[in-house]
Structures are given as structure tokens and as C-alpha cells.
Amino acid sequence: MSTPDQQRPGAGDEDQGIAVVARTQGQLVRRRFFRHRLAMISLVVFVAILVLSFSSTGIGPIPGWWKHDYTTIGTVVDGGRPTLSVVPGFLGGDGIHLGEHPFGQDNKGIDYFALTMRGTQISLMIAFIVGGLGSFIGVLIGAAAGFFRGWTETILMRFTDVIIIMPLLAIVAVIANQAGNAGPFWLAVVIALFTWTGLARIVRGEFLSLREKEFVEAARAAGTPAWRIIRKHILPNTLGVILVSATLSLAGAVILETALSFLGFGVKPPDTSLGRLVSVYQGAFVTRPWLFIWPGVFIVAIALTVNFIGDGLRDAFDPRQNKVRS
Amino acid sequence: MTKPSSDDPFVDHRSMGAAGSDPLDVGAAEPTEQVKSATQAHVGHLGRSAVGGEELLRVDDLSVEFPTDDGVVHAVRGVSYALHAGEVLGIVGESGSGKSVSSMAVMGLLPRSARISGDVSFRGEDVLSMPPAVQRSLRGRKIAMIFQDPMTAMNPVHTVGDQLAEAVLSHELMPRKKALARAEEALGMVGIPQPKTRLRNYPHEFSGGMRQRAMIAMAIINDPDVIIADEPTTALDVTVQAQILEKLVEVKDAIGAAIVLITHDLGVVAGMTHRVLVMYAGRAVEVGETDDIFYRTRMPYTAGLLGSIPSLDSDDDGRLRPIHGTPPSLIHLPAGCPFSPRCPLATDLCRQTEPELFDTDVTGHVAACHHWRRLAEADDPTTFFRSESEAS
Amino acid sequence: MLAFIVRRVIAAFGILLAGTFIAYVLVALSGDPLAQLRQSNEPGIEDRIANMTERLDLDTPVPLRYLKWLGGAAQCVVPFVGTCDLGQSVRGQDVSALLADAMVATLQLITVATVTAVIIGVLVGIVTALRQYTRLDYSATFASFVFVSLPIFWFAVLLKQYIAIDLNDWLADPTVSLPAAAIVGVISGLIWGSIVGGDRRRVLTSFAVAFVATGGALLLLSASGWFRSPGLGPVVVGVVGVAAAVGLTAVVAGFRYRNVLYAALATAGAGIVANLAFDPLLTDPTWGTLFLLLLLAVAVAVGIGYAIGGLQRRQAISTSVWVAVIMAFTITADRMLTAWDNYYEFVGGRVVATFGARTPNYDGGTWGNLLDTVTHLALPTLALMLVSLATYSRYTRASMLEVMNQDYVRTARSKGLTDRTVIVRHALRNGLIPVTTLVAFDLAGLIGGAVITETVFGWQGMGFMFVEALRNTDPNPAMAFFLVTGIVAVLFNMLADIAYAYLDPRIRLG
Ligand SMILES: Nc1ncnc2c1ncn2[C@@H]1O[C@H](COP(=O)(O)OP(=O)(O)OP(=O)(O)O)[C@@H](O)[C@H]1O
Ligand code: SF4
Ligand SMILES: [Mg+2]
């Protein structure tokens, strides 16, 4: 993705030149992304899930709008069956309404919608921390290795190799088993410490090829300091790759966290997450399938929409179908 | 429809605009003495004599469009030409003018998304409407192509010998040994030393020039009638370029093929071709015999191209006079003449109506310009671009 | 090349040492194996604590303990020494013995799942790349996104419920209703219509053929009671052989010259004859016999290809060999199904198993046991396969599209090669190089991924062992897991590099 405009003579001083490119390219990217229909739908759904989960049960001390609490034990009504109905009356259904417990109740009478929302909230929060922190570490290590080469690169890449050979789920499980007790935040940090390897390799590759490009060589010849070259010239050109990879790692983080919690090494009570809900209620599958289905549906919905958003971003940044050969 | 061979390959292009009659068939007129001698003078140093055998390839009103996310790209718009046995036709034009796309359409190599219209006939048979299997059997056997970038045009995981032999085997079943022998012979013909051991090399073990020779060998291995060479030397350094072109002409003569030579390099055109087709924004804007294109230019764009090459023998200060501005977008073409935004001669007429290919004062020389007469009147048409460039 | 490999091996050892060290420290810090004992106040608990401390070497500082452990573990890697010491579990079992069993179980699961996932994924990737932007492509893309987004633990439980239990219920009275047959027929028709492609008429024809063939076959099989007592018989084996011969010839060589087709058909014929002739041998063979028979089949196929291939000898040989292998598998399946009725009785009709690796107390001879293994492998394999399939199909598709856009593919077409040759010899050969390395990388990761599958399906492999160990704060079995996955990871990363270098002459020779 070289940008020919950057080299056009007379494009003004270097910063200005970049700014022009960044804007036009940014516009292109945005337009292509908005044209990716699945990605757009996914974005809407994902934001809806985000808003729903955080607003319904509240964040920290701020209460949510949902009438039930995710800890209050109540009386089990109608075997805890969900009261949500989406089939309108004229189609022979019960009409469209939420009812008292739209997702039903668990065996202790806790409102399952509240519980699911709380689980979604925690899972999302962990995913965001993992995606953000993991990507940050990945970019840092990859950039350092790719830009400075030499010993820095050897050491960093060997270190990456070492981390990569340990199965992610297992090594995280080992640490999370303890970290989980310290709360979801620390769990997320621990997961992030092991999920940066893929991005580090990609970023290093990008840096290796970009640092040979003429505009970087020119900047270096002009005595521009390293961090400035990285920030002004290289990072903007790897932004697409980083963004796509960070997005996809978000989806990966949701799956990983829920898997950990499912095995019992992730989020620990009293906190809950989607994975823990699936794990706790898998025994109830035959008698009360909704306790098992709802959290799973939310995991799939989050992972799927995030994956589609990532795909849309990838297409927007690297539009193969528009690539024109001479 | 097999055409009787004509002595005059040049006149086929007259008057695209002549309503009613087939514009390609007007060309039975006698060539002028002047044209003939010019031709001979020109190709004489290539060791070849008269051209103009039977008509091999004929492209008629060829258009290619690509639907893309950003709109329909009108890559080629109504290009016509004919190629006769033994002839070298040059196609020149800026990057993006549709040179490659028009040739790929002839070869049937465009992606499926391309919308192609018009006619392409080889020895009188319509190529585009042939069943795919028949079209395929022409490809590489009757019409071969040499591509621009020898670095990427060969498959890195197969040996050069295998890739050459494959070209033979795909048209004729024979023992591999025999096909490899043919490959060895072809490599020898294009001047690769020790062809036998070279057969076993992979492309990355060849230098750029050698790869391009190997590409030529691949193109000639089945004795094709037509070779389309798409900028065969742009990726190579200057000294190698000359050798490659010389080789190309040599093997063409050896196997008696005609060549469509696509290039940016007007020097190459001057030295090698009999006729030239100038393309701009997907159209043929000037077609004529090579000397006429150079010395009796009738289209400002061509004049601009000529002015932008360094010349040693020019009578003025030897300054370069580049054409300013960029080619128009092929998605949103400007109204009128596509060259008008960059043309020093542009008038309101130009900005309103797109010129057809008009007959000019020179026989067999057509130009898509409303004001070709003004160029005919000028001594040196490139001077039209002077004031502008010299002022800046 | 040799220097390259040596350098790679040395680097791999270094990485493995560092990796196991980190894992060892983390495992050691992850919990106190004595925690439970310390809380109890049973009599004699002091002794037990001392005993355990001694057994797990808990008094030694962790880095030293790692070195000791490494000394024992190193013996496992050195060939032919035979002594392998991976320490003991908290219950006092020898970990290397535990590991051996677990490894076999995991290997079984992973191999089958990976092989099927790779084959199907790569095929889907190729087809969707060749049919880019068709309905098939969109559907496959969508499906692969769904599979990538599925949490396997959730999906596996659904599979257990809806596939196993419902399928077993259906097997109690297996009939295909007309609407069901019609629906499956339509799906098959849509898929084939998209795969075949071409103009409207061709698509409609292939839709109709696939619809009638699939739906009809289902109804026919249902009516003849085949689902109750499935089997193939020599006729089906023969038909499969001939179909494989024709299909493979179409892919490998085309029909312009017939030698390859004749060779493939001759091989199929030989297979049919052999199936009948070796009947007594195939009734209850040992695995050794079967392996020898497979070798024989391949040898015969090579001979036939060599003899009949003529000018297309190479292609003829490879086609014949593939036909022979496909026939061998078909015959195996045919024989395996002979054990169906007996097995059905034994398990009381619950044929698709949801737990464990084999039915307790069942011994049905070679074929019966094979069937038993297959029914136990079915669900976990399906779960693992579907989840990893999508990666391969997406990756193959992207790689193929990339390659199809390369200049050398255009060159190949300009030479007048058939589409088949262009795709097989130029696009596939290059497009699958990165896929090969991806598969190698992934194999190592899959063992880690099997942790969940094994837990859900009670498959007593390494993943199961690891989870148990972690729950019981049992360091040595957990470390054994990391040792194996680490070795596999560096080994396969190395293989990936070497395979890459081997497949790409630019690296091999450059
Ligand atoms: N597959 C395609 N999809 C969309 N547009 C295309 C495609 N192939 C070519 N084009 C467009 O068609 C136009 C003509 O391209 P073409 O390759 O023929 O130019 P050219 O004259 O050969 O230029 P060059 O001298 O750089 O080779 C270009 O604007 C190009 O962007
Ligand atoms: S038609 Fe007009 S604008 Fe076009 S080339 Fe001729 S003079 Fe220039
Ligand atoms: Mg071109």
C-alpha cells in the first residue's frame, strides 16, 4: 500500500504531504467500509449489544434500567421459563412482549436476563482490555524488532517464538487460575500478556518492508529521529494491518476468555461471564436449555459481529478487487 | 472471411467516421510512392524488405469495460487495427491508456469481470465467439504474448525448461524429452548460452535480461504467426533493452511472425515498427505509417509525446517539453476530446464533441483531432507545447 | 540446505528450553499442591505432607527443580534409552506412563480431525476461490465466519444433544420422508449448481441432476432399509472405484488423451477383482495384513500406471495410486460396516457415542472395534474439524486468489494451457505452499485446542490430563503436557520452515 502522492514533487513539506494522503486515504477507507454491508450490520448489532449490556445492569455504582438484579434470589415462576415472546398475536403467537423474565430464571430464581447481561458486560470488558493491551504490546515489540533490527530484533523475536510454542489456552489457564481470583481486570491483563505474538510478527514484517522504502530512507538521510520516523512515516502505513488485527483479536479474546471460564480457570464467582454461565448451566441443558442457550448466543453474536467488522476493515484497507495492475 | 492479401497494410485505418461503409475495408487504394519508399528506408536497416503479406489479425471497434466499486472503467473504447504478415505494429501511449488491456482482450486473457465488445479476428475467423477450447488452441500456438515484467512472468517453482516444454506439450502430445529438445533449441535461438544446462534452472537463477529472452523463447517455441510484445523491455536496463529488441526482430524474421509491439519508448517505435497506433484514454487517436507519425504528426497528443523525448538531432535548444497534467479518469471521462484539458490547441469545439478518427492529408494516416490541419501547417508540431513549458 | 536444517534444530532446542523453563516456573507458582493437605487435621497428616514434599521435590528451589526435571525429561527425548522420568503425580502415579496413554488418545483425535479438516477446508477454499463472488462463495464465507465464532465448548454440547441424541433416536427407526429427501436434494442441487458454474443452462442441469440423484438415493436407501443395516457391497465398491478413476483423471490429466483414464480404470478394475479375491483374507484381518495389502495395492497401481501411461506416464502413475488408495479406503469402510448389526445390538441402538473413546467390554474383532472407534470419534472429530475447517478454507481461498492474480498465471494461460493445467500446475502448486506451512503451525496449536473438546467428550487425552492436573494443583502432569506441546510446536514449526524451503526453490537454492 504505497502512496504515490507522498513522492510527488512539490507536495509541500513532508508533514503536509502525509496529512493530505492520510485524509484522502482515510476517506477512501471509510467509504469502502460503509459499503461492506455485513460489516455495517455487524457494527450496529455489536454496538447494540454493548449498550444493552452496560445500560441494563449498570456500570459500577451507576444503576441500570433493568428492574432485576443479577444477584437477587427470587421465587421461580413457571419453572423459570423465559417470558420473552417475539411471535406476534396474529401469527398465532403470544404477541411481542418481554414479560417479567425475558430470558427466564435460573434454579435459584435469579433473573437470567440480568445475569446474561452482567456476563456479557464482563466478557466484553475483558475482550476490550485484551484487544487493546495485547495489540499495544504486539505493536511495540514488532515495531522495535522491525525498526532497530540487529540484537533487538533477535532477542525480541526469539522471545516471541518462546511464547508462541506454548499453547495459548493452557498457559493462560495456568496463570489465570490464580489471576482469576484477583478479579476480571487482572485476568484480562494476564490474557493480554500472551496474545500479542501474532501481531508482533505481522508488525515486524511491515516495518521491515517499510523501512526500506524511499520516503523512510529519505527521512533517515535527513536526520529525522527514529521515533519521529516511526510515528510519522511508518505507523500511518501499518495502521490498517494493526486495526484489523486488533479487531480480530477482540473476537479471539471473547472466545478465549469464555473457554477459560468454561474450564473453571477464568472468571470466578461472585463475578460471572458468558463462559462461566455456559459452564455452570451445561448440566441444565436437558431440563432448562435456555440457561445454556442464551449466554452461548451472546458469545456467538459478539464474536461473529466483531469478526465481520474486522473483515470489513480488512477489505476497506486492502481492497483487492480495486487493485489495478498496469 | 478471408481477405485477399493486400500490398498496403497502412490504409486500413482510414476514416473511422465514414458512415455506412466498413471503415476497415476502404484500404485498397494504391500507396503513394512516398509512403513506400519511406517504409523501405525505414525498415531497411533491420535487414527486412517489404512488408504487407496476408492479413493475420484484425481488431474491429474493440471496447473493454471493467465494472468496479467506484464505477465502470472504460479501459478501451472502440480500437481498430489490422496486422499483416511480417509487419511490426507499434502501439504507444501513456500509462493507463489501454494498451495492455486491448492486447489481453485479443488473447482472451482478461478477467471474467471484463465486458468486451467488438470483433477480433485471426485469419478471418472471429476469435471472441470461438468456443473456449478453440480459442485456447490459438493461444500460444498462433498468437503468442510476451509480458512486461520478466521478473514475475515466470512461475518461480518450475524450471525454465519445464515451463517452455509445457508450452509445446499443451498443443501437441509428445515425449517430454522431445519437448525439452525444442525448448533447448528455442533458448539457443534467443541467444542463451549453454541452453541445455539452463533448462534445469529456475527462473530466479536467470538475470532479468535472460528471463526476458526465455520469455521470447517461450513465445516463439510454437512458431506463432503473431507475437504481441507488451513492453518487453521496460523492466530492463538500457543496454539489455537493445539486445532484447534486436533478438526479437531476429527471431521474428526467422519464424516469419508479425509483431504487435507495445511500448512507451518512441525511440524503439522509430527503429522497429512499420506502423504506429497512438492510444490515449482508451482510444486510438492517431494511426499511420511510422515515418508519418514522426514527421507528419497530425494529433497534438502525439506531438506532445514526441516533444517529451530527448532528441539529439533536433534543431532547437534540445529542451524537453513534457505534456502537463494527467490523463483523464477512465470512469468519468471529460466531455469532448479527452485530451482537451491538456491540449494547447483546444477550442470550445474540442470540449464539446469528441473527434472521430479523421482522414488527414497523408494517405493512410488518420488522427482523432478537430484541428489536425493546424498541425499540418506547423513546421514542428512539438512547438505547440513550448510556450507553456518554457514559461514555467 | 543441511546447514539451514542444523541451524534450525539448534534454534529449536533453545526455544524449547526457554519455553519449558517459563512453563515450569509458572506451573510451580500456579498453586501449592499441599494446600489441601495443610488444611486437613486428620491424624498422620504430617507424614503425608512430608511424603508429598519428598515425592514432588517441593523443598528444592524452583530453578533447581527445573534442572532436575529437565534431566529426567531429556531421557524421554533421547532415543532408545527407554528410561523416561517425568516425575510423579500427586497421587503417586508415574507421569510418563500416564502421558503415553493420553498421547495415543489425543493423537487419534487430532489426526483424524486435522486430516479431514485440511482436506475439506482446502477443497472448499479452492472451489470458492475459483467461483469467487458466487452464491456458493458467499455462503461458504458466511459459514466459515460462523464456525470461527463458535465457542467449541458450547458447540460441542449442542452437537451432543442435537446430533448424537437425535441421530440415535432416528436410527431406531430410520426412514427418510419425502419432504426431508426433497430438502436435502435441493441443498445438494444448489451446491453442485454453484460448483459446476457456467451459463444458466449448465447450472440448471447440474442442479437437476444433483437434486434427483441425492433425493432419489436417500429415498431408495430408506425404502430398502439401508439405514437400518448399512453396507456397501462389492457393487458400490466398484462404482466408487470407477467414479474415482474418472473424477481424478478429469482433475489430473483431462480426457484429451486417454492413457491416464485407461490406467486409472484398470486400477479400479484390479481393485474390484482384489476385493473379491481377497475375501477370506479380509474377513477378520490384522492391521498388519491390511497395511501390507495397501502397500500391494499401491505397488500394483504404480505398475499399471507405468505400463499403460505411455506419454503421460507420470500423470498415469499418480492417478492410479490415488485410485488405489481411495478404493482401499472404500473397501475398509465396506468391511467395517459388516460389523454394524452386531454393534447395533450391543450398544442398544445408541450408535453415536457421546463420551469416552470406546464402548466398555465390547470386542467385535478388527472391524467391530474399528466401527466402535469411529462412532466414538465421530462427534469430537466433527466439533474440532468444523471449528478449524474455516481457517483452512479462508486461508486457501485467499492464497489461491492471490496466486491467480500473479503474472505467471497469466503467462501460463497465454501459452494456451487448459484451465485445468493452469489451476493444478501453476495456481495450486504455488497457492498451497503457504497453506502447507499453516497446517504445520496449526497442528501444534490443535493439541492445545483439544483441551476443551477432550473435556466435553470425556476423551482421556492430554488435554483432559492437563485440566485435571491444573484442578488438582498437580505440577508434573501439567508440565508433561507443556513438554509434549512444546516439542510438537518446535518440531512442526521446523517442519514448516523446511517444507517451505523445499517447496519454494527460491529459498531452497537461494
Ligand atoms: N481488471 C481491471 N479492473 C479495473 N480496471 C482495470 C483492470 N485492468 C486494467 N484496468 C484499467 O484499465 C486502464 C488501462 O490499463 P492498461 O493496463 O491497458 O494500461 P497500459 O496502457 O497498458 O498502461 P502501462 O503502460 O502502464 O502498462 C487502466 O486505467 C487500468 O486502471
Ligand atoms: S481535438 Fe482539440 S483538444 Fe483534442 S487533440 Fe485536437 S485540438 Fe486538442
Ligand atoms: Mg501495460
Side-chain angles (χ1 to χ4, degrees):
Chain A
M1 274 203 307
S2 84
T3 46
D5 292 31
Q6 265 167 355
Q7 270 98 280
R8 195 166 346 131
D13 103 34
E14 53 166 74
D15 287 353
Q16 220 177 344
I18 303 263
V20 171
V21 173
R23 198 180 59 233
T24 50
Q25 214 185 343
Q27 284 168 344
L28 261 181
V29 165
R30 220 165 309 141
R31 211 177 71 206
R32 288 200 208 100
F33 180 76
F34 287 134
R35 230 173 0 210
H36 195 296
R37 212 181 316 150
L38 265 176
M40 278 317 290
I41 298 173
S42 297
L43 188 63
V44 171
V45 173
F46 180 71
V47 170
I49 293 175
L50 199 72
V51 170
L52 184 71
S53 67
F54 278 91
S55 69
S56 60
T57 52
I59 315 167
I62 310 163
W65 49 261
W66 183 240
K67 52 196 165 193
H68 295 289
D69 191 72
Y70 66 92
T71 47
T72 314
I73 294 170
T75 43
V76 179
V77 184
D78 186 24
R81 232 171 281 286
T83 54
L84 177 71
S85 162
V86 287
V87 187
F90 56 85
L91 285 180
D94 296 334
I96 302 174
H97 57 76
L98 287 178
E100 188 63 19
H101 300 290
F103 287 9
Q105 288 170 291
D106 80 349
N107 46 353
K108 284 180 277 177
I110 299 177
D111 178 63
Y112 207 58
F113 177 74
L115 210 48
T116 309
M117 286 304 108
R118 176 65 183 175
T120 308
Q121 213 180 79
I122 299 284
S123 290
L124 276 175
M125 194 195 78
I126 293 177
F128 274 113
I129 296 175
V130 172
L133 186 60
S135 302
F136 180 74
I137 302 176
V139 171
L140 215 61
I141 292 188
F147 191 80
F148 296 112
R149 314 280 318 257
W151 274 107
T152 322
E153 184 186 23
T154 312
I155 292 175
L156 288 178
M157 286 315 21
R158 285 292 165 259
F159 180 57
T160 311
D161 288 344
V162 169
I163 301 288
I164 277 182
I165 64 159
M166 298 188 254
L168 185 60
L169 181 71
I171 193 70
V172 172
V174 169
I175 307 177
N177 201 13
Q178 295 284 315
N181 297 328
F185 175 77
W186 290 108
L187 177 68
V189 171
V190 164
I191 298 180
L193 288 180
F194 287 90
T195 49
W196 50 267
T197 47
L199 185 56
R201 283 188 165 179
I202 297 173
V203 169
R204 167 177 164 266
E206 292 279 311
F207 267 61
L208 283 183
S209 71
L210 279 169
R211 76 196 294 278
E212 309 297 335
K213 288 266 155 64
E214 295 87 345
F215 59 92
V216 175
E217 303 235 306
R220 211 182 346 225
T224 318
W227 63 270
R228 195 177 153 80
I229 295 180
I230 293 181
R231 208 164 50 90
K232 287 276 175 193
H233 297 273
I234 304 188
L235 269 186
N237 282 298
T238 47
L239 192 72
V241 179
I242 295 173
L243 210 61
V244 170
S245 164
T247 311
L248 295 179
S249 81
L250 207 82
V254 171
I255 302 279
L256 182 63
E257 175 273 318
T258 50
L260 274 179
S261 302
F262 174 81
L263 290 175
F265 303 129
V267 176
K268 304 268 165 81
D271 254 312
T272 196
S273 84
L274 291 175
R276 216 182 86 77
L277 287 177
V278 171
S279 163
V280 170
Y281 296 109
Q282 65 170 320
F285 188 78
V286 183
T287 49
R288 277 177 291 188
W290 58 90
L291 295 180
F292 176 83
I293 301 272
W294 282 118
V297 166
F298 273 81
I299 298 174
V300 175
I302 294 171
L304 191 60
T305 52
V306 173
N307 275 328
F308 274 130
I309 294 170
D311 192 52
L313 283 176
R314 185 182 4 227
D315 278 4
F317 278 106
D318 181 21
R320 302 252 156 201
Q321 64 269 36
N322 280 357
K323 215 177 236 176
V324 165
R325 55 194 326 142
S326 56
Chain B
M1 133 180 149
T2 324
K3 274 193 58 167
S5 65
S6 143
D7 272 334
D8 183 6
F10 310 127
V11 273
D12 278 3
H13 280 270
R14 301 199 322 185
S15 168
M16 287 286 300
S21 68
D22 176 352
L24 294 177
D25 260 351
V26 215
E30 273 292 301
T32 60
E33 259 324 293
Q34 182 203 10
V35 170
K36 256 189 179 156
S37 61
T39 315
Q40 263 143 28
H42 200 75
V43 296
H45 71 277
L46 296 175
R48 295 193 55 261
S49 53
V51 293
E54 149 197 31
E55 179 184 282
L56 294 175
L57 183 66
R58 184 184 174 88
V59 172
D60 207 346
D61 200 18
L62 178 73
S63 294
V64 180
E65 294 174 351
F66 297 101
T68 67
D69 280 359
D70 303 315
V72 177
V73 178
H74 303 272
V76 178
R77 304 180 295 137
V79 166
S80 308
Y81 62 80
L83 183 73
H84 297 73
E87 188 187 11
V88 180
L89 169 71
I91 300 186
V92 291
E94 267 166 308
S95 190
S97 53
K99 306 182 298 289
S100 299
V101 170
S102 55
S103 346
M104 305 265 267
V106 172
M107 291 291 288
L109 292 178
L110 287 176
R112 242 178 305 203
S113 64
R115 294 199 293 246
I116 309 170
S117 63
D119 291 314
V120 174
S121 49
F122 177 76
R123 291 188 183 279
E125 282 181 71
D126 187 0
V127 175
L128 295 182
S129 62
M130 281 176 184
V134 182
Q135 211 183 349
R136 185 188 67 73
S137 73
L138 281 184
R139 230 182 275 149
R141 192 167 59 99
K142 294 294 178 196
I143 313 178
M145 191 154 177
I146 302 168
F147 295 98
Q148 185 165 348
D149 189 354
M151 295 306 174
T152 55
M154 285 212 196
N155 194 329
V157 304
H158 296 297
T159 60
V160 172
D162 277 342
Q163 294 187 59
L164 286 169
E166 190 180 59
V168 180
L169 291 171
S170 67
H171 296 290
E172 199 182 334
L173 188 64
M174 61 169 80
R176 218 174 83 90
K177 280 217 183 73
K178 225 168 119 191
L180 282 174
R182 281 266 289 277
E184 186 187 334
E185 189 190 337
L187 280 187
M189 258 179 97
V190 296
I192 289 187
Q194 297 168 309
K196 194 168 188 88
T197 46
R198 284 306 192 167
L199 284 179
R200 283 194 297 275
N201 282 168
Y202 288 92
H204 73 273
E205 297 169 278
F206 274 33
S207 71
M210 267 162 65
R211 277 193 228 183
Q212 196 59 299
R213 282 166 198 261
M215 285 300 293
I216 296 177
M218 194 183 283
I220 59 164
I221 200 164
N222 287 318
D223 286 352
D225 294 344
V226 175
I227 300 174
I228 302 180
D230 188 354
E231 308 190 28
T233 56
T234 5
L236 306 172
D237 63 66
V238 185
T239 43
V240 183
Q241 283 188 7
Q243 295 168 5
I244 295 284
L245 288 173
E246 212 168 286
K247 208 40 132 184
L248 185 59
V249 172
E250 197 184 306
V251 296
K252 151 193 142 45
D253 290 340
I255 65 171
I259 294 188
V260 176
L261 180 68
I262 300 173
T263 177
H264 286 287
D265 188 340
L266 287 171
V268 169
V269 170
M272 280 187 66
T273 63
H274 304 111
R275 270 189 319 135
V276 176
L277 184 151
V278 182
M279 282 190 79
Y280 186 76
R283 303 201 64 166
V285 290
E286 185 166 11
V287 188
E289 195 257 329
T290 306
D291 278 3
D292 289 339
I293 296 286
F294 276 81
Y295 300 113
R296 282 169 286 278
T297 314
R298 295 294 177 259
M299 160 78 196
Y301 173 64
T302 317
L305 281 183
L306 289 171
S308 61
I309 53 167
S311 58
L312 298 173
D313 54 11
S314 67
D315 42 1
D316 56 74
D317 51 7
R319 247 178 213 268
L320 293 189
R321 302 187 194 93
I323 312 174
H324 283 269
T326 46
S329 148
L330 296 177
I331 297 175
H332 308 287
L333 282 160
C337 174
F339 190 55
S340 58
R342 308 166 73 186
C343 180
L345 299 179
T347 59
D348 283 346
L349 172 65
C350 306
R351 285 182 273 271
Q352 278 151 18
T353 31
E354 181 163 10
E356 309 150 339
L357 274 175
F358 298 113
D359 279 331
T360 62
D361 55 333
V362 185
T363 317
H365 187 133
V366 292
C369 177
H370 294 300
H371 302 304
W372 63 265
R373 284 198 176 79
R374 287 189 58 191
L375 285 98
E377 288 153 12
D379 279 346
D380 177 7
T382 64
T383 51
F384 286 117
F385 288 84
R386 175 179 283 170
S387 52
E388 210 186 322
S389 66
E390 247 114 283
S392 66
Chain C
M1 190 76 187
L2 195 69
F4 171 77
I5 294 177
V6 170
R7 233 181 312 136
R8 242 3 233 97
V9 170
I10 294 174
F13 262 107
I15 291 170
L16 191 60
L17 281 185
T20 47
F21 178 69
I22 294 179
Y24 199 88
V25 173
L26 290 178
V27 168
L29 296 179
S30 77
D32 179 7
L34 303 175
Q36 251 185 339
L37 292 180
R38 288 216 176 98
Q39 271 160 18
S40 112
N41 38 20
E42 285 170 46
I45 197 71
E46 302 292 311
D47 276 0
R48 284 181 57 198
I49 289 182
N51 199 333
M52 176 98 86
T53 309
E54 155 90 46
R55 181 151 24 102
L56 299 182
D57 212 3
L58 291 177
D59 282 342
T60 320
V62 174
L64 262 186
R65 211 192 305 157
Y66 168 72
L67 286 181
K68 279 190 178 176
W69 173 86
L70 190 65
Q75 295 172 358
C76 309
V77 192
V78 181
F80 310 121
V81 177
T83 55
C84 192
D85 182 10
L86 290 173
Q88 297 186 337
S89 73
V90 281
R91 294 214 196 88
Q93 298 143 300
D94 184 26
V95 171
S96 37
L98 284 181
L99 183 67
D101 288 345
M103 240 161 70
V104 172
T106 297
L107 222 59
Q108 228 174 17
L109 184 62
I110 305 256
T111 321
V112 179
T114 310
V115 169
T116 39
V118 169
I119 291 177
I120 299 177
V122 167
L123 282 181
V124 169
I126 293 171
V127 171
T128 49
L130 297 179
R131 298 273 174 267
Q132 195 191 6
Y133 301 142
T134 58
R135 230 176 301 121
L136 178 82
D137 183 26
Y138 289 126
S139 323
T141 302
F142 192 84
S144 59
F145 270 94
V146 171
F147 284 129
V148 170
S149 310
L150 274 181
I152 191 169
F153 53 91
W154 188 69
F155 181 54
V157 175
L158 288 186
L159 276 185
K160 258 173 147 174
Q161 177 64 22
Y162 292 116
I163 303 281
I165 297 184
D166 293 357
L167 192 62
N168 279 330
D169 287 346
W170 180 75
L171 279 174
D173 177 24
T175 49
V176 179
S177 67
L178 199 62
I183 291 171
V184 177
V186 167
I187 295 173
S188 147
L190 286 178
I191 293 176
W192 280 109
S194 305
I195 291 180
V196 172
D199 57 18
R200 178 174 290 264
R201 238 189 72 197
R202 234 176 88 159
V203 172
L204 284 180
T205 318
S206 33
F207 174 88
V209 171
F211 173 76
V212 171
T214 314
L218 280 179
L219 290 177
L220 206 71
L221 290 176
S222 169
S224 62
W226 186 84
F227 290 111
R228 175 63 195 80
S229 171
L232 300 179
V235 178
V236 177
V237 170
V239 171
V240 169
V242 172
V246 175
L248 283 173
T249 307
V251 172
V252 175
F255 298 110
R256 202 143 55 99
Y257 310 106
R258 294 297 169 84
N259 294 26
V260 177
L261 181 66
Y262 296 150
L265 285 176
T267 309
I272 294 169
V273 174
N275 185 27
L276 299 175
F278 289 128
D279 188 48
L281 211 55
L282 286 170
T283 316
D284 191 16
T286 64
W287 284 104
T289 319
L290 285 179
F291 184 68
L292 286 181
L293 285 176
L294 180 66
L295 284 189
L296 179 68
V298 170
V300 170
V302 170
I304 291 177
Y306 189 88
I308 306 186
L311 287 176
Q312 294 173 297
R313 193 164 277 161
R314 285 178 173 192
Q315 291 164 324
I317 291 178
S318 62
T319 314
S320 304
V321 168
W322 280 111
V323 169
V325 170
I326 289 179
M327 286 211 74
F329 274 99
T330 316
I331 293 172
T332 310
D334 173 41
R335 298 290 160 159
M336 181 185 82
L337 286 175
T338 55
W340 180 274
D341 289 338
N342 182 314
Y343 185 69
Y344 188 90
E345 290 292 310
F346 190 88
V347 296
R350 313 308 288 179
V351 175
V352 184
T354 58
F355 200 83
R358 60 185 59 84
T359 309
N361 306 325
Y362 177 74
D363 184 11
T366 302
W367 299 128
N369 290 344
L370 180 64
L371 183 63
D372 188 39
T373 307
V374 167
T375 57
H376 279 84
L377 270 175
L379 280 192
T381 304
L382 189 67
L384 261 186
M385 185 196 84
L386 284 180
V387 171
S388 52
L389 180 92
T391 322
Y392 301 130
S393 70
R394 296 302 295 161
Y395 199 76
T396 307
R397 177 177 179 275
S399 175
M400 283 297 288
L401 285 177
E402 175 102 31
V403 167
M404 299 286 281
N405 263 326
Q406 295 292 316
D407 286 358
Y408 54 76
V409 169
R410 188 181 59 186
T411 307
R413 295 215 293 139
S414 81
K415 284 190 277 191
L417 302 188
T418 56
D419 285 353
R420 184 184 48 70
T421 317
V422 173
I423 292 168
V424 173
R425 203 173 317 158
H426 291 273
L428 275 185
R429 173 68 172 74
N430 288 278
L432 293 186
I433 293 177
V435 177
T436 317
T437 59
L438 176 86
V439 170
F441 279 126
D442 256 32
L443 274 179
L446 259 176
I447 300 186
V451 167
I452 294 172
T453 320
E454 290 181 2
T455 312
V456 174
F457 289 102
W459 192 270
Q460 312 230 337
M462 289 194 299
F464 193 81
M465 179 186 84
F466 171 76
V467 171
E468 286 295 297
L470 210 54
R471 287 197 177 128
N472 302 331
T473 351
D474 191 353
N476 282 332
M479 258 333 279
F481 175 83
F482 281 115
L483 181 67
V484 174
T485 51
I487 291 177
V488 173
V490 292
L491 203 66
F492 276 91
N493 279 352
M494 211 165 70
L495 281 182
D497 280 1
I498 294 172
Y500 201 104
Y502 175 75
L503 291 172
D504 192 333
R506 279 168 301 185
I507 298 176
R508 188 197 330 157
L509 307 167

